[in-house]
Amino acid sequence: MHGDADLAAPARLLGEPARAAMLVALLDGRSLPASELAAIAGVKAPTASAHLAQLVAGGLVADRRIGRHRYFTIASAEVADAVEALQRIAPRQAVTSYRQSATAARLAEARSCYDHLAGRVALRLADALVAEGAIAPLEPGEPGRLRRVDGELAERLRLREVEAADGRRPAVRGCLDWTERRPHIAGRLGAHLLDTLVAEGWVARVPGDRSLRVTEVGREAFAALG
């Protein structure tokens, strides 16, 4: 038998700025080495290793060894959801440079949220799939469902592959977007859509950043959604 959740345990881990910066950097589902996370957090290598050890012990980050190197990633979609939820209630950092302004603009337009698409283009895509009847209207944090996969947009994005796939993860789930304040698509469908949009050239990953660059092909495709 277990008692109530000990919220203070993950809060202590998230309450340190360097550890919080590392978790945000890992939100796009990448696996990163300690050296890169140290640079992102602005700390020295031994300090980064100590922080990462705490995050692994606390179940927020997972690690794996490839050869002589260790790589770190967000432990689960639930951890990513929790970090995104905190971003929605956290005060916004002041933008003091053009580089920060440009990064913020990119993140607001399109970014990866763990393994799925977020930002304005994600909301446009979700609205189009709801309008076509492919999915039910999304509710934050709630499982949704595929309704039909034979519409024009559903066919173009190969939603039949999601319908045919099996797994414990919900096919569709609403994930509240921290910049747009409305749910975008998570779950198996969300992961499938991000992979498909990258493969089709609608969006491109940005090295060292979880923002996604909307290509010219993507801008035309998103504009056609209405």
Side-chain angles (χ1 to χ4, degrees), residues 73-147:
T73 189
I74 287 282
S76 66
E78 289 76 17
V79 174
D81 289 344
V83 177
E84 280 268 327
L86 287 173
Q87 286 185 311
R88 293 192 291 272
I89 63 173
R92 303 297 292 272
Q93 295 179 349
V95 173
T96 58
S97 69
Y98 173 78
R99 181 178 180 182
Q100 288 177 320
S101 177
T103 299
R106 290 200 312 271
L107 288 171
E109 181 178 41
R111 65 185 182 277
S112 52
C113 173
Y114 191 50
D115 63 354
H116 55 270
L117 182 68
R120 287 192 299 273
V121 296
L123 272 294
R124 181 175 292 183
L125 184 58
D127 288 344
L129 288 171
V130 169
E132 187 175 83
I135 60 174
L138 298 168
E139 294 293 337
E142 295 296 325
R145 64 186 178 90
L146 283 169
R147 283 181 162 173

Side-chain angles (χ1 to χ4, degrees), residues 27-28 110-114 116-118 194 205 210-212:
L27 272 184
D28 62 357
R111 65 185 182 277
S112 52
C113 173
Y114 191 50
H116 55 270
L117 182 68
L194 179 55
R205 297 187 185 277
R210 67 190 183 102
S211 65
L212 297 165

Side-chain angles (χ1 to χ4, degrees), residues 174-195:
C175 178
L176 189 60
D177 195 288
W178 70 271
T179 54
E180 297 300 304
R181 308 290 175 168
R182 291 201 294 130
H184 54 242
I185 302 170
R188 296 201 312 272
L189 175 58
H192 169 84
L193 288 173
L194 179 55
D195 288 344

Side-chain angles (χ1 to χ4, degrees), residues 24-106:
V24 170
L26 294 171
L27 272 184
D28 62 357
R30 289 180 297 168
S31 295
L32 297 177
S35 57
E36 188 167 341
L37 289 167
I40 289 169
V43 296
K44 295 183 178 179
T47 303
S49 295
H51 284 317
L52 287 166
Q54 292 180 61
L55 290 170
V56 170
L60 301 185
V61 166
D63 66 326
R64 59 176 177 153
R65 187 173 292 278
I66 301 178
R68 295 182 299 169
H69 301 284
R70 289 175 69 196
Y71 289 83
F72 299 85
T73 189
I74 287 282
S76 66
E78 289 76 17
V79 174
D81 289 344
V83 177
E84 280 268 327
L86 287 173
Q87 286 185 311
R88 293 192 291 272
I89 63 173
R92 303 297 292 272
Q93 295 179 349
V95 173
T96 58
S97 69
Y98 173 78
R99 181 178 180 182
Q100 288 177 320
S101 177
T103 299
R106 290 200 312 271

